[in-house]
């Protein structure tokens, strides 16, 4: 990590915003690598010649912007932007492990039920078909990154007790791993409930994703709606000249 260069005070701008700007520029220029720890408030206070209250406000500003993340008991770190391919069918757990992090899950609900009219239409099944309804918070390295609500025909997922962190692994175990699908992504703002679950501020930017997947014989196996943290995720699609 290079030494942080503190800019000359600008009388028209509050000191904490000047500090936030200097830190933001230092991070964007590669002075601190993504995932690396920020110096302590005490060290930053000494570097910049500012009070710890001012330093704390500057850090909070960058946390609100998604530039920094605070991990309880560990400190403050430069946020890592997660790039995921918009054209690749993969699971949250698989992608998390590929990044070298441990996936986790907090269950909101996990039960069998009857589908709503919308769910039955999305799955192309009868309204009397039994489905598995799954609600969960997805974690990476203990940090909440997404909320997922999935509906699966029960015939594809006959044993909910055996379901752990990966839905696709469970489907694959029964011979029903998705092989194709469609996905829609749109920008939105977090509701108060979503913000609380994801440890972000109300009205923070989120990505709402709707996914429908199929198994090789064409049957729909999954209808999932998810909310991903917009400060952490970017969906990237490779473009080619046809």
């Amino acid at each position: 990590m290079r030494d942080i260069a503190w800019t000359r005070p600008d009388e028209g701008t509050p000191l904490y915003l000047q500090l936030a700007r200097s830190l933001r520029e230092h991070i964007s220029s590669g002075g601190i690598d993504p995932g690396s720890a920020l110096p302590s408030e005490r060290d930053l206070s000494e570097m910049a010649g500012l009070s710890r209250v001012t330093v704390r406000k500057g850090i909070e500003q960058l946390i609100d912007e998604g530039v920094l993340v605070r991990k309880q008991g560990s400190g403050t770190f430069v946020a890592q932007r997660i790039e995921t391919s918009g054209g690749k069918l993969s699971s949250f757990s698989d992608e998390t492990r590929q990044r070298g992090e441990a996936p986790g899950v907090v269950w909101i609900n996990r039960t069998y039920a009857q589908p709503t009219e919308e769910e039955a239409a999305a799955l192309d099944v009868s309204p009397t078909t039994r489905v598995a309804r799954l609600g969960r918070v997805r974690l990476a390295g203990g940090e909440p990154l997404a909320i997922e609500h999935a509906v699966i025909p029960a015939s594809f997922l006959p044993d909910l007790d055996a379901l752990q962190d990966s839905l696709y692994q469970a489907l694959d175990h029964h011979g029903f791993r998705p092989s194709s699908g469609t996905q829609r992504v749109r920008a939105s703002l977090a509701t108060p409930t979503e913000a609380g679950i994801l440890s972000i501020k109300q009205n923070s930017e989120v990505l709402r994703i709707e996914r429908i997947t199929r198994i090789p014989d064409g049957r729909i196996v999954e209808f999932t709606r998810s909310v991903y943290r917009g400060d952490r995720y970017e969906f990237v699609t490779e473009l080619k000249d046809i």
Side-chain angles (χ1 to χ4, degrees), residues 40-233:
S40 68
E41 288 182 4
R42 178 179 179 179
D43 288 343
L44 285 173
S45 177
E46 293 176 355
M47 290 178 193
L50 298 172
S51 71
R52 292 183 67 171
V53 172
T54 299
V55 168
R56 189 173 300 117
K57 287 186 66 176
I59 291 173
E60 291 291 345
Q61 176 66 29
L62 294 182
I63 290 174
D64 290 346
E65 294 176 13
V67 177
L68 301 175
V69 293
R70 179 171 287 136
K71 297 182 180 180
Q72 192 67 32
S74 299
T76 304
F77 297 79
V78 178
Q80 292 179 290
R81 298 289 293 182
I82 300 170
E83 289 190 1
T84 183
S85 173
K88 182 181 179 182
L89 181 57
S90 60
S91 72
F92 179 96
S93 296
D94 288 343
E95 290 183 350
T96 301
R97 290 191 180 97
Q98 287 172 6
R99 296 195 306 270
E101 297 181 282
V105 60
V106 175
W107 287 100
I108 300 172
N109 62 285
R110 177 170 43 173
T111 186
Y112 292 114
Q114 298 298 120
T116 64
E117 291 185 7
E118 180 186 27
E119 292 166 350
L123 293 171
D124 194 23
V125 297
S126 165
T128 61
T129 300
R130 190 166 176 250
V131 298
R133 182 171 286 116
L134 312 172
R136 25 183 205 163
V137 182
R138 308 310 308 271
L139 312 175
E143 181 183 13
L145 294 182
I147 305 168
E148 292 183 351
H149 292 281
V151 184
I152 314 289
S155 58
F156 296 137
L157 201 61
D159 184 7
L160 287 184
D161 291 335
L163 179 59
Q164 298 182 9
D165 64 81
S166 176
L167 171 60
Y168 282 14
Q169 187 177 58
L171 290 170
D172 188 32
H173 176 74
H174 295 291
F176 300 118
R177 187 179 181 92
S179 60
S180 63
T182 57
Q183 181 167 276
R184 291 180 173 84
V185 182
R186 64 182 177 88
S188 185
L189 300 177
T191 66
T193 298
E194 292 166 345
I197 292 173
L198 294 174
S199 298
I200 57 178
K201 287 198 171 183
Q202 183 179 341
N203 292 327
S204 295
E205 293 181 355
V206 295
L207 297 172
R208 297 192 185 277
I209 303 168
E210 183 176 291
R211 175 184 284 194
I212 293 177
T213 60
R214 301 174 182 271
I215 54 178
D217 66 9
R219 285 181 292 170
I220 297 173
V221 66
E222 169 199 14
F223 174 48
T224 295
R225 281 177 169 160
S226 306
V227 180
Y228 278 67
R229 286 176 52 173
D231 63 333
R232 299 298 310 279
Y233 269 85

Side-chain angles (χ1 to χ4, degrees), residues 1-2 4 23 26-39 44 68 77-78:
M1 181 187 73
R2 303 197 310 267
I4 298 172
L23 289 173
H26 186 69
I27 291 167
S28 64
S29 68
I32 309 178
D33 293 331
S36 296
L38 196 70
L44 285 173
L68 301 175
F77 297 79
V78 178

